[in-house]
Amino acid sequence: MHKRWKRLLHETSVAPRAPARRKVRAYLPESRCFVASCSGAVVAACVVKPLGAGAHELMSIAVRPGGQQAGHGTALLRWVIRDLERRGASRLKVGTARSATNSPSLAFYQRQGFRVMGTDHDFFVRNYPQPLFEGGIRHFDMLRLARKLTNAIE
Ligand SMILES: CC(C)(COP(=O)(O)OP(=O)(O)OC[C@H]1O[C@@H](n2cnc3c(N)ncnc32)[C@H](O)[C@@H]1OP(=O)(O)O)[C@@H](O)C(=O)NCCC(=O)NCCS
């Protein structure tokens, strides 16, 4: 099971695969991993890293290709949000590529209450050795989003 969700996160990471795979491996030891399964098969996985002071970051979320847009990603994200709230966490952050081709991911997060906090300019230039393209557009900047968790004491 362990290998299967790791493969799922790798397969659905932004190309090129090799640096993305290294990045996922680097943050796994300090993170918690969640999976959604259907009839024993992993359909979605995500990784959440504690940042301290009640804040957490959603480092990766991926639904198996072929199973996307069927509600699995939303169900998993909602479950994770509820779990963090039960544990008294205050804030969940996420980063997503700031690009016209990435608007479905932005809609996915905004539907779950995430608000745009800012832009990390040249994130993909600084963090990836090769240029990353999606739909013919190069990724340069990371959009930073965050969602307050309801049990937060601030
Ligand atoms: C992004 C992702 C996790 C969403 O999970 P999902 O199970 O496919 O999404 P759900 O079915 O729960 O929700 C669908 C909603 O998400 C958004 N969405 C996500 N991916 C989309 C896509 N490729 N095309 C259109 N809408 C998409 C839409 O808002 C959609 O709502 P709608 O159906 O009413 O238009 C999943 O598509 C995925 O693994 N994508 C590849 C990896 C990735 O991009 N991860 C996020 C990196 S920031």
Side-chain angles (χ1 to χ4, degrees):
M1 179 68 80
H2 186 61
K3 278 192 178 145
R4 273 154 60 195
W5 63 254
K6 269 193 181 174
R7 196 183 324 128
L8 172 58
L9 286 173
H10 293 154
E11 280 170 359
T12 48
S13 296
V14 179
R17 307 288 183 215
R21 195 171 290 143
R22 273 201 302 277
K23 282 180 186 301
V24 172
R25 208 179 288 131
Y27 56 68
L28 280 179
E30 48 191 334
S31 303
R32 293 173 66 218
C33 304
F34 300 81
V35 297
S37 59
C38 197
S39 308
V42 173
V43 292
C46 74
V47 179
V48 178
K49 181 178 151 185
L51 301 175
H56 291 70
E57 181 166 353
L58 184 69
M59 304 299 290
S60 311
I61 183 163
V63 174
R64 185 174 293 287
Q68 295 177 0
Q69 291 186 72
H72 298 309
T74 299
L76 180 60
L77 181 55
R78 284 188 181 161
W79 198 95
V80 167
I81 288 169
R82 279 198 303 273
D83 182 69
L84 289 171
E85 286 178 338
R86 276 196 299 269
R87 292 165 188 271
S90 59
R91 187 167 283 268
L92 181 59
K93 300 179 178 185
V94 69
T96 190
R98 181 170 190 162
S99 153
T101 52
N102 200 35
S103 55
S105 293
L106 180 58
F108 172 74
Y109 293 123
Q110 287 186 323
R111 284 218 170 100
Q112 300 312 316
F114 285 84
R115 304 270 308 269
V116 174
M117 306 308 288
T119 300
D120 187 346
H121 283 276
D122 283 338
F123 174 90
F124 290 96
V125 178
R126 289 196 313 275
N127 288 281
Y128 288 81
Q130 309 282 339
L132 294 184
F133 288 88
E134 192 183 353
I137 298 176
R138 184 171 173 192
H139 287 320
F140 286 102
D141 309 317
M142 177 76 95
L143 198 59
R144 296 285 181 194
L145 298 108
R147 183 197 194 279
K148 202 170 162 181
L149 301 172
T150 53
N151 291 342
I153 306 157
E154 287 185 355

